[in-house]
Structures are given as structure tokens and as C-alpha cells.
Amino acid sequence: MFKQFLQSYHIIGKANRIKSLWLLLILLSIIALELLNFSLIIPVLTILFDKESIEKITLITHLENLFGVSTFSLINLAILFLILIIVKVLLLLFFEYKIQKYSREMQVDMSLRAYSYFLNSRWQEILKVDHAYIMRTILSDIGTFVTEGILKFIEIIKNTLFLIFIVSYLLFFNFKITAIIMGVFVSFTIIIFVLFKKKQVYLSKLTAEFQKSRYKNISESILSLRDIKLTGNSSFFLNAFENNEKKATKVLIVSKIMSKIPRYLLEIILVAFAVLIAVYLDTNNFDINNYIPLLGLYAFAILKLIPIFTVYNQSIQAVRVAKYQTEEAIKNAERFKKIFEQYKLRERDEKFNILDLNQEFKIKVSNVDFSYDNSKPIFKNLNLELNKNQTIYLEGPNGSGKSTFVDLISGLLSPSRGTIKINNSNLIDVSNNWLKEVGYVSQTNFLMNNTIKENIVFGRENISEKNIIGIIKLVGLDELINSLPEGIDTNVGNLGSSFSGGQKQRIAIARALVLNPNVIILDEATNALDADTEKNFLEIINKIKKNRIIIFIAHSELIKNFCDTKMIIKDKKIEIIN
């Protein structure tokens, strides 16, 4: 657990570590006030039962000198005691405010890092990752890492410091009694920790898996909603969701009960302990009045120690139960750091590797092998050259590597062996700059639930209104936009539900062309279009094909005849079939 704490503290970042130190200073102030409260209990109770003893108490003399008064009465002590408690409560509230603010800021920061990691990771890496895992990491694991990891560690540190101060004072006051009480508390904590340790780690893994299944069920059902409605099998998804939630409920109940057990057991032990003390005092005929200040101090101490040890056990359990998700958050944060450093280095290097595509440009593929995870090769010793002003039709059987090829030449994937060069520059060295030169249109035509304009811009900066208006006219969207009451600011609806397939296609093409790319990839982009819409689409391409490389992946004779270069994937190579 200590190793987990060090890893967590390391990956939260310098700014968050500095905030942690400030929280520690506030906490030390609270503990100092708590210690003052303790030191006043004996004097107050002693004076209450023996008013003549006020002059014998050393602390009273110190207080009289401190406040410059001749006598310090019981009322003065009571008022001071009350003031200290009020100040301590105010500091505790301030501490709680800072904790909540700090934890929320950290959660946002860590979630952004996790989100950034998945958005900026290599395409080849992301293809291996389950979407439900990505959603769970960003939306659940990070929250668990902060609330059940970092905050619980802070809780443990806070209670440890409280414990040290309280026990130190009590040991100084009466070593034997304090040692017995602490022996009971510490033994109890160790026993609970050992008994529940393995079970808590097991529950942590189950909780993470159920969270992942939850996101998987919901995301898959939303993405396949049309198919669900057409097949009428919504019950399949509902049953899967219900079964997962039932299993998750059992785990949650066990976790909650386990978190309550330490408190109830501790109360039983302490009541039994108090009964034994009472019996001992009674059978040995002790004068109870002489022990009231001592009993009052320890009663007050125990009232403080019970919640401390209860929270202590609960915090330890929470850390153990969240162990799996915390480790996932730490792992992804470390991955983000590595990815971010690589991205910065690549960005720096690309400033010196400037692409000049104003004149002639070509894509040269030399001796390229490619496979996913060293599995069956997709391409072997591939050699090919694509030149400016080429319109290419690429065909091949399903699974032959058509989409893989365009991912390679766009820079999303890197060859297992060989090189891909843009003019004389290795694509790996200029991948960020090169991606800006590639426009991509797919069959799915994903549209955000936002305006037409935002779907064309797609979050990119430095796109002028002039460029947007020009591209709208070029792809034939101007007539549609002029007919809409809100024009270009019309919302397209969920996944573009307010528009037809052809209209969504034009918006997707406008998005791909608005930055005036040198390479346009149309990956099965016309499969959902009828013959007339496909002809209109080719008219748009005919207007823009000059000075570009345009690649079609399609199963259409019309498009095949439109292209000047025909290629086929065969035996893990690409052949020209003109």
C-alpha cells in the first residue's frame, strides 16, 4: 500500500504535490489546536470537582502569565476551551473546502491526461484497446483514483498525525493505561487489515470489470440502435445490462458491509473494555471521585480515537478495494507522460523537417512489410509510387489490406519494415505535418450533434470564413444551407439524423477539403449512395482533383472508370492493372 501511495504521489504532478504540502500545513494547525483542547480537559474537570485546586495547576499559571491576569477562573477556562473548538471547527471546514477543491481539480487534470493519452496514442495502439476500457478509464478509474486513492491516503495521513499527537500526550500523562488502550486499537486494525486484504483486492478487480461491462453494454446498444429496432432484440441488451448490474450489486453490498464491520466490532470491544474497568474499580473499592479527571480525559480521548480508527480502517479498505482501478489510473498516467514527451520531441524535430509540396510531390513506398502485432502479414516487400494529379482506384478482397494501406500512407500506421517517403522526407519524421495534408472521407460520415459549421471545422483552428463559404459552394451545400432558417448554424441532430445520406456525405467532404489537402482518401465513401448521388459526388471530385492525389476504395464500376489509375491488392502486394 505504501508503494501505491508513492506511485500516486509521483504521478499527480508537481502542482498537485505543492497543494498537498499546503494541506499538510493546515492540518498541522488543526492538530495543534486539538492538542490544546486535550491539555485543557484535566484542568477543567479537576477545578469542576475541586475548586481549591486551581492554584496547584501549572497550566493555569502559564495561562495567567500569557493573558496578564491575576486569576484564571473555571469560566475563563471554559470560554478558552470553547474558542479553541470554534477555531478548530472553522479550520476543519476550510481544510474540507480545500480538499474538495483540490480533489476536483486533480480529477479534471488526471481525466484530461487520460483522455489526451487515448486521443494522441498511435493508431496502431488504440486499435488494440476496448472502447469500454477507454470510457471506464476516463469516466470511472480516474474518479476512483482521486476519491478512493488520493483522498483516502490524505485521510490516513490526517488520522495518523492526529493519532500521534493524541497518543503522545496520553503516553506522557499515563504510559501504562495508554499502552493498553493503543494495544487494543492497533491489534484490532492489524487483524482487520490481514483478514480483509485479499478479499478487497478481489472485489477491486470485479468492480473494474463490471464498470467496463456497463460502458460496453450502453455504448454498443447506442451505436447499434437502428439494428436493435429493426431486429426487435432490445431485450438482449437489457438482459445483459441487468445481469451485469445484479452482479455489481452483490459486490457493492459486500464492500459496504465490510466497511461497516470494523466500527461495530470496535464499539463492542470498547464497551467490553469499559465494563471491565468499571468492575475492576468497583471490586477494589477505589474512590471514583479521585479518578473522574483521568476517566474524563480517557473518555474524551476514546471518543476521538473511535472515529479515527473507524475511518482509518475504512480508508485502508477503500484503498485496497480501489487498488485495481488506482493501478490502472497510475499506469495510464505514466503512459500519457511517455506519449507526451514523445509528442513534444516529434513536434520539435518536425520544425526542422519542413514539407514543401508547392511544386511536384510524390509518395514513395519502399520495401514495406506490415502486420498487426507480428501476426499474419498484411503487406510484404511492398513497393509503390503515387504521384501528383493521380486519381487512383484501389480494389481487393475484404480483409486484403485496403484500409491498412491508406492508414500507412496517411501516417496513422508505421511500417514493420521499410520506408514511406513524401518527396525526400521520411513519413515518420513529418507525420504531424503530413496529416494536415490528408483529407479523409469514410463510409460512416460521423457527424457531431452540433451545427453544420462546427461539423465542417471539426475543432480545427485558423479556418477562415472565406474558406468555409468557398468549400460549401464547391461541394454543393450552399443551396441546402440557404434553405434552412438558421443557415450554416443549423444543428445536424444526433449523428446527422436531420439530413439525408447524400447531405451528410457533402458535409463530410467539406470537412475533408476545407484545409485544401494535397491527398484525399475516399474509403468506401460512396457505398451508401444511389447512382444519381454518386454521379453528383464524382462531379465534385472532378472539380478538385487537379494537383492532388485522390484515392478511392470502392466497389463501383462508375468510380473505377472515373479513375485514371487502377490498382489491386494481390498476394500482399499492390499491382497496377491499367
Side-chain angles (χ1 to χ4, degrees), residues 88-105:
K88 185 193 76 174
V89 167
L90 291 173
L91 269 175
L92 278 169
L93 287 172
F94 180 66
F95 178 76
E96 190 62 31
Y97 162 74
K98 296 300 277 185
I99 279 283
Q100 295 304 321
K101 186 172 182 288
Y102 165 68
S103 63
R104 183 58 192 160
E105 287 172 352

Side-chain angles (χ1 to χ4, degrees), residues 417-568:
R417 184 183 74 89
T419 60
I420 300 173
K421 290 191 174 183
I422 313 301
N423 290 343
N424 295 317
S425 300
N426 195 323
L427 177 53
I428 293 172
D429 298 329
V430 293
S431 58
N432 284 345
N433 291 332
W434 176 243
L435 281 170
K436 297 171 187 174
E437 301 295 335
V438 177
Y440 178 82
V441 185
S442 70
Q443 181 181 358
T444 53
N445 301 323
F446 171 77
L447 298 182
M448 302 181 291
N449 192 352
N450 211 319
T451 65
I452 296 172
K453 181 179 179 179
E454 289 302 321
N455 272 286
I456 293 171
V457 173
F458 210 61
R460 293 168 290 185
E461 298 176 353
N462 304 320
I463 297 178
S464 67
E465 289 291 326
K466 183 180 177 182
N467 277 10
I468 295 170
I469 292 167
I471 210 68
I472 284 169
K473 288 180 180 177
L474 181 66
V475 301
L477 272 173
D478 51 335
E479 188 176 334
L480 168 68
I481 288 171
N482 291 335
S483 70
L484 298 169
E486 296 182 53
I488 198 170
D489 293 318
T490 300
N491 194 291
V492 303
N494 185 39
L495 299 176
S497 57
S498 302
F499 296 101
S500 68
Q503 290 166 338
K504 288 191 286 185
Q505 186 79 50
R506 289 172 190 268
I507 294 171
I509 296 168
R511 177 195 295 164
L513 301 182
V514 72
L515 283 175
N516 195 29
N518 282 288
V519 177
I520 299 171
I521 297 169
L522 301 154
D523 189 356
E524 314 252 12
T526 62
N527 283 12
L529 303 182
D530 57 38
D532 289 335
T533 308
E534 189 174 57
K535 285 179 183 176
N536 292 333
F537 174 72
L538 290 178
E539 287 175 10
I540 295 168
I541 299 301
N542 196 47
K543 291 178 187 176
I544 62 170
K545 69 180 184 179
K546 188 178 179 182
N547 296 323
R548 289 184 169 92
I549 295 174
I550 295 177
I551 302 171
F552 280 96
I553 296 174
H555 303 279
S556 164
E557 284 298 317
L558 185 65
I559 294 175
K560 188 174 184 177
N561 293 330
F562 173 82
C563 296
D564 53 52
T565 304
K566 284 84 175 175
M567 297 181 177
I568 186 169

Side-chain angles (χ1 to χ4, degrees), residues 174 283 292 307:
N174 191 308
T283 54
I292 283 176

Side-chain angles (χ1 to χ4, degrees), residues 18 73 101 167 222 235 281 329 388 399 416 445 458 570:
I18 291 170
S73 65
K101 186 172 182 288
V167 172
I222 290 171
S235 58
L281 291 173
K388 187 176 177 180
S416 306
N445 301 323
F458 210 61
K570 190 176 180 181

Side-chain angles (χ1 to χ4, degrees), residues 19 172 175 201 338 358 368 383 391 401 434 525 561 569 573:
K19 288 177 184 176
F172 176 78
F175 183 86
V201 175
K338 188 177 178 181
N358 292 324
V368 164
N383 291 278
T391 306
W434 176 243
N561 293 330
I569 297 178
K573 292 181 174 62

